[in-house]
């Protein structure tokens, strides 16, 4: 299917559609109307229709959406119909927590190795996946087709390590270090800051308390 340029806002909502549709599939639901999906997801039916119209709609008037078809198509749009090999740089608390999360594999993200500078981690394995030392990284990248590197190292090291990754062919960085990375055209950085979400929670708590005072 041909897709036109889709806004980042729509793309950012697709994983949520994908998750809900996956749950519906697991529950054996074959089709769903935009109204019913809207009630489940707490977004307006018109938002759903508008979002999905970006890809040709998928729905049929009076029939609703075919859940499996929609799930599969959104999966394709998100690139989840292919596998993506990835590595983790920094096998500390966060790196190991990510490595322990087996569900990434179910979505096609295959963890191939972790890397660290701490010699105490050499030879350690997490779910059978080996932690290697950073001096093995360049050789590893030369012999393995790795698409994504997750950066879970101190922010003081992130820029230098990102440069090494890019020089050695990494095209996508999943950046957890709290620093902005400048990368050449053609390399993608997706930064995750859990604290941003926590701060939004804190904002909402404050708003609620203010509301109660009035
Ligand atoms: P940690 O100290 O447990 O782990 C960091 C690991 O990086 C250590 O094992 C260390 O040996 C390794 N390391 C240091 N320099 C390295 C280098 N040049 N190359 C490879 N490995 C190197 O720290 P933790 O708690 O796992 O946090 C890791 C990073 O993630 C920190 O920058 C932290 O601020 C950030 N973080 C980000 C979150 C987010 O939501 N974005 C949430 C939690 C942590």
């Amino acid at each position: 299917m041909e897709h036109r340029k889709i806004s980042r806002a729509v793309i950012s909502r697709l994983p949520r559609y994908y998750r809900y549709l996956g749950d519906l599939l697991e529950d054996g639901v074959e089709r769903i109307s935009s109204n019913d999906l809207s009630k489940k997801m707490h977004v307006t039916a018109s938002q759903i229709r508008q979002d999905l119209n970006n890809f040709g709609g998928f729905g049929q008037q009076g029939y609703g959406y075919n859940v499996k078809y929609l799930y599969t198509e959104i999966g394709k749009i998100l690139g989840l119909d292919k596998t993506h090999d990835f590595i983790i740089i920094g096998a500390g608390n966060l790196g190991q927590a990510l490595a322990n999360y087996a569900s990434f594999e179910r979505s096609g993200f295959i963890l191939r190795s972790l890397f660290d500078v701490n010699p105490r981690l050499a030879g350690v394995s997490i779910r059978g996946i080996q932690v290697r030392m950073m001096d093995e990284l360049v050789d590893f990248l030369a012999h393995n087709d790795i698409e994504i590197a997750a950066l879970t190292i101190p922010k003081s090291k992130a820029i230098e390590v990102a440069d090494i990754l890019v020089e050695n062919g990494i095209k996508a960085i999943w950046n957890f270090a709290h620093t902005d990375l400048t990368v050449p055209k053609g390399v993608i950085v997706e930064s995750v800051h859990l604290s941003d979400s926590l701060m939004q929670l804190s904002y909402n708590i404050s708003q609620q308390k203010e509301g109660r005072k009035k």
Side-chain angles (χ1 to χ4, degrees), residues 90-102:
N93 290 310
L94 183 56
Q96 292 200 25
L98 292 177
N100 271 311
Y101 187 58

mmCIF file with all atom_site columns, all heavy atoms in Angstrom, residues 90-102:
data_model
loop_
_atom_site.group_PDB
_atom_site.id
_atom_site.type_symbol
_atom_site.label_atom_id
_atom_site.label_alt_id
_atom_site.label_comp_id
_atom_site.label_asym_id
_atom_site.label_entity_id
_atom_site.label_seq_id
_atom_site.pdbx_PDB_ins_code
_atom_site.Cartn_x
_atom_site.Cartn_y
_atom_site.Cartn_z
_atom_site.occupancy
_atom_site.B_iso_or_equiv
_atom_site.pdbx_formal_charge
_atom_site.auth_seq_id
_atom_site.auth_comp_id
_atom_site.auth_asym_id
_atom_site.auth_atom_id
_atom_site.pdbx_PDB_model_num
ATOM 1  N N   . GLY A 1 90  ? 25.733 -0.141  27.447 1.00 0.00 ? 90  GLY A N   1
ATOM 2  C CA  . GLY A 1 90  ? 25.546 0.191   28.865 1.00 0.00 ? 90  GLY A CA  1
ATOM 3  C C   . GLY A 1 90  ? 24.696 -0.888  29.517 1.00 0.00 ? 90  GLY A C   1
ATOM 4  O O   . GLY A 1 90  ? 23.475 -0.854  29.435 1.00 0.00 ? 90  GLY A O   1
ATOM 5  N N   . ALA A 1 91  ? 25.378 -1.858  30.145 1.00 0.00 ? 91  ALA A N   1
ATOM 6  C CA  . ALA A 1 91  ? 24.643 -2.988  30.745 1.00 0.00 ? 91  ALA A CA  1
ATOM 7  C C   . ALA A 1 91  ? 24.473 -2.778  32.250 1.00 0.00 ? 91  ALA A C   1
ATOM 8  O O   . ALA A 1 91  ? 24.699 -3.682  33.052 1.00 0.00 ? 91  ALA A O   1
ATOM 9  C CB  . ALA A 1 91  ? 25.375 -4.292  30.439 1.00 0.00 ? 91  ALA A CB  1
ATOM 10 N N   . GLY A 1 92  ? 24.092 -1.564  32.616 1.00 0.00 ? 92  GLY A N   1
ATOM 11 C CA  . GLY A 1 92  ? 23.818 -1.270  34.027 1.00 0.00 ? 92  GLY A CA  1
ATOM 12 C C   . GLY A 1 92  ? 22.363 -1.561  34.349 1.00 0.00 ? 92  GLY A C   1
ATOM 13 O O   . GLY A 1 92  ? 21.745 -2.445  33.741 1.00 0.00 ? 92  GLY A O   1
ATOM 14 N N   . ASN A 1 93  ? 21.815 -0.806  35.295 1.00 0.00 ? 93  ASN A N   1
ATOM 15 C CA  . ASN A 1 93  ? 20.431 -1.055  35.737 1.00 0.00 ? 93  ASN A CA  1
ATOM 16 C C   . ASN A 1 93  ? 19.434 -1.011  34.581 1.00 0.00 ? 93  ASN A C   1
ATOM 17 O O   . ASN A 1 93  ? 18.667 -1.945  34.371 1.00 0.00 ? 93  ASN A O   1
ATOM 18 C CB  . ASN A 1 93  ? 20.017 0.006   36.773 1.00 0.00 ? 93  ASN A CB  1
ATOM 19 C CG  . ASN A 1 93  ? 20.754 -0.185  38.070 1.00 0.00 ? 93  ASN A CG  1
ATOM 20 O OD1 . ASN A 1 93  ? 20.788 -1.287  38.605 1.00 0.00 ? 93  ASN A OD1 1
ATOM 21 N ND2 . ASN A 1 93  ? 21.370 0.877   38.575 1.00 0.00 ? 93  ASN A ND2 1
ATOM 22 N N   . LEU A 1 94  ? 19.472 0.103   33.845 1.00 0.00 ? 94  LEU A N   1
ATOM 23 C CA  . LEU A 1 94  ? 18.479 0.276   32.783 1.00 0.00 ? 94  LEU A CA  1
ATOM 24 C C   . LEU A 1 94  ? 18.750 -0.684  31.615 1.00 0.00 ? 94  LEU A C   1
ATOM 25 O O   . LEU A 1 94  ? 17.815 -1.310  31.096 1.00 0.00 ? 94  LEU A O   1
ATOM 26 C CB  . LEU A 1 94  ? 18.497 1.739   32.308 1.00 0.00 ? 94  LEU A CB  1
ATOM 27 C CG  . LEU A 1 94  ? 17.465 2.110   31.260 1.00 0.00 ? 94  LEU A CG  1
ATOM 28 C CD1 . LEU A 1 94  ? 16.055 1.795   31.732 1.00 0.00 ? 94  LEU A CD1 1
ATOM 29 C CD2 . LEU A 1 94  ? 17.573 3.592   30.903 1.00 0.00 ? 94  LEU A CD2 1
ATOM 30 N N   . GLY A 1 95  ? 20.017 -0.800  31.223 1.00 0.00 ? 95  GLY A N   1
ATOM 31 C CA  . GLY A 1 95  ? 20.352 -1.691  30.118 1.00 0.00 ? 95  GLY A CA  1
ATOM 32 C C   . GLY A 1 95  ? 19.909 -3.118  30.404 1.00 0.00 ? 95  GLY A C   1
ATOM 33 O O   . GLY A 1 95  ? 19.323 -3.796  29.558 1.00 0.00 ? 95  GLY A O   1
ATOM 34 N N   . GLN A 1 96  ? 20.141 -3.560  31.627 1.00 0.00 ? 96  GLN A N   1
ATOM 35 C CA  . GLN A 1 96  ? 19.751 -4.936  31.982 1.00 0.00 ? 96  GLN A CA  1
ATOM 36 C C   . GLN A 1 96  ? 18.233 -5.078  32.073 1.00 0.00 ? 96  GLN A C   1
ATOM 37 O O   . GLN A 1 96  ? 17.673 -6.112  31.718 1.00 0.00 ? 96  GLN A O   1
ATOM 38 C CB  . GLN A 1 96  ? 20.406 -5.340  33.305 1.00 0.00 ? 96  GLN A CB  1
ATOM 39 C CG  . GLN A 1 96  ? 21.912 -5.468  33.164 1.00 0.00 ? 96  GLN A CG  1
ATOM 40 C CD  . GLN A 1 96  ? 22.545 -6.316  34.255 1.00 0.00 ? 96  GLN A CD  1
ATOM 41 O OE1 . GLN A 1 96  ? 21.920 -7.175  34.855 1.00 0.00 ? 96  GLN A OE1 1
ATOM 42 N NE2 . GLN A 1 96  ? 23.827 -6.074  34.504 1.00 0.00 ? 96  GLN A NE2 1
ATOM 43 N N   . ALA A 1 97  ? 17.590 -4.013  32.550 1.00 0.00 ? 97  ALA A N   1
ATOM 44 C CA  . ALA A 1 97  ? 16.110 -4.075  32.620 1.00 0.00 ? 97  ALA A CA  1
ATOM 45 C C   . ALA A 1 97  ? 15.535 -4.221  31.212 1.00 0.00 ? 97  ALA A C   1
ATOM 46 O O   . ALA A 1 97  ? 14.627 -5.036  30.974 1.00 0.00 ? 97  ALA A O   1
ATOM 47 C CB  . ALA A 1 97  ? 15.561 -2.821  33.303 1.00 0.00 ? 97  ALA A CB  1
ATOM 48 N N   . LEU A 1 98  ? 16.069 -3.452  30.263 1.00 0.00 ? 98  LEU A N   1
ATOM 49 C CA  . LEU A 1 98  ? 15.586 -3.561  28.871 1.00 0.00 ? 98  LEU A CA  1
ATOM 50 C C   . LEU A 1 98  ? 15.865 -4.963  28.335 1.00 0.00 ? 98  LEU A C   1
ATOM 51 O O   . LEU A 1 98  ? 15.016 -5.573  27.680 1.00 0.00 ? 98  LEU A O   1
ATOM 52 C CB  . LEU A 1 98  ? 16.269 -2.528  27.970 1.00 0.00 ? 98  LEU A CB  1
ATOM 53 C CG  . LEU A 1 98  ? 15.937 -1.054  28.202 1.00 0.00 ? 98  LEU A CG  1
ATOM 54 C CD1 . LEU A 1 98  ? 16.763 -0.176  27.272 1.00 0.00 ? 98  LEU A CD1 1
ATOM 55 C CD2 . LEU A 1 98  ? 14.455 -0.779  27.967 1.00 0.00 ? 98  LEU A CD2 1
ATOM 56 N N   . ALA A 1 99  ? 17.075 -5.466  28.637 1.00 0.00 ? 99  ALA A N   1
ATOM 57 C CA  . ALA A 1 99  ? 17.459 -6.788  28.134 1.00 0.00 ? 99  ALA A CA  1
ATOM 58 C C   . ALA A 1 99  ? 16.568 -7.888  28.717 1.00 0.00 ? 99  ALA A C   1
ATOM 59 O O   . ALA A 1 99  ? 16.329 -8.910  28.082 1.00 0.00 ? 99  ALA A O   1
ATOM 60 C CB  . ALA A 1 99  ? 18.920 -7.063  28.469 1.00 0.00 ? 99  ALA A CB  1
ATOM 61 N N   . ASN A 1 100 ? 16.061 -7.646  29.897 1.00 0.00 ? 100 ASN A N   1
ATOM 62 C CA  . ASN A 1 100 ? 15.215 -8.652  30.540 1.00 0.00 ? 100 ASN A CA  1
ATOM 63 C C   . ASN A 1 100 ? 13.778 -8.650  30.037 1.00 0.00 ? 100 ASN A C   1
ATOM 64 O O   . ASN A 1 100 ? 12.998 -9.528  30.374 1.00 0.00 ? 100 ASN A O   1
ATOM 65 C CB  . ASN A 1 100 ? 15.217 -8.438  32.056 1.00 0.00 ? 100 ASN A CB  1
ATOM 66 C CG  . ASN A 1 100 ? 16.343 -9.214  32.701 1.00 0.00 ? 100 ASN A CG  1
ATOM 67 O OD1 . ASN A 1 100 ? 16.522 -10.397 32.433 1.00 0.00 ? 100 ASN A OD1 1
ATOM 68 N ND2 . ASN A 1 100 ? 17.134 -8.544  33.524 1.00 0.00 ? 100 ASN A ND2 1
ATOM 69 N N   . TYR A 1 101 ? 13.448 -7.638  29.255 1.00 0.00 ? 101 TYR A N   1
ATOM 70 C CA  . TYR A 1 101 ? 12.062 -7.512  28.795 1.00 0.00 ? 101 TYR A CA  1
ATOM 71 C C   . TYR A 1 101 ? 11.878 -8.308  27.499 1.00 0.00 ? 101 TYR A C   1
ATOM 72 O O   . TYR A 1 101 ? 12.232 -7.857  26.411 1.00 0.00 ? 101 TYR A O   1
ATOM 73 C CB  . TYR A 1 101 ? 11.725 -6.033  28.602 1.00 0.00 ? 101 TYR A CB  1
ATOM 74 C CG  . TYR A 1 101 ? 10.280 -5.775  28.291 1.00 0.00 ? 101 TYR A CG  1
ATOM 75 C CD1 . TYR A 1 101 ? 9.271  -6.186  29.154 1.00 0.00 ? 101 TYR A CD1 1
ATOM 76 C CD2 . TYR A 1 101 ? 9.901  -5.113  27.128 1.00 0.00 ? 101 TYR A CD2 1
ATOM 77 C CE1 . TYR A 1 101 ? 7.935  -5.961  28.867 1.00 0.00 ? 101 TYR A CE1 1
ATOM 78 C CE2 . TYR A 1 101 ? 8.568  -4.881  26.832 1.00 0.00 ? 101 TYR A CE2 1
ATOM 79 C CZ  . TYR A 1 101 ? 7.599  -5.302  27.707 1.00 0.00 ? 101 TYR A CZ  1
ATOM 80 O OH  . TYR A 1 101 ? 6.276  -5.083  27.421 1.00 0.00 ? 101 TYR A OH  1
ATOM 81 N N   . ALA A 1 102 ? 11.334 -9.487  27.627 1.00 0.00 ? 102 ALA A N   1
ATOM 82 C CA  . ALA A 1 102 ? 11.257 -10.411 26.489 1.00 0.00 ? 102 ALA A CA  1
ATOM 83 C C   . ALA A 1 102 ? 10.256 -9.964  25.426 1.00 0.00 ? 102 ALA A C   1
ATOM 84 O O   . ALA A 1 102 ? 10.334 -10.387 24.272 1.00 0.00 ? 102 ALA A O   1
ATOM 85 C CB  . ALA A 1 102 ? 10.909 -11.797 26.995 1.00 0.00 ? 102 ALA A CB  1
#
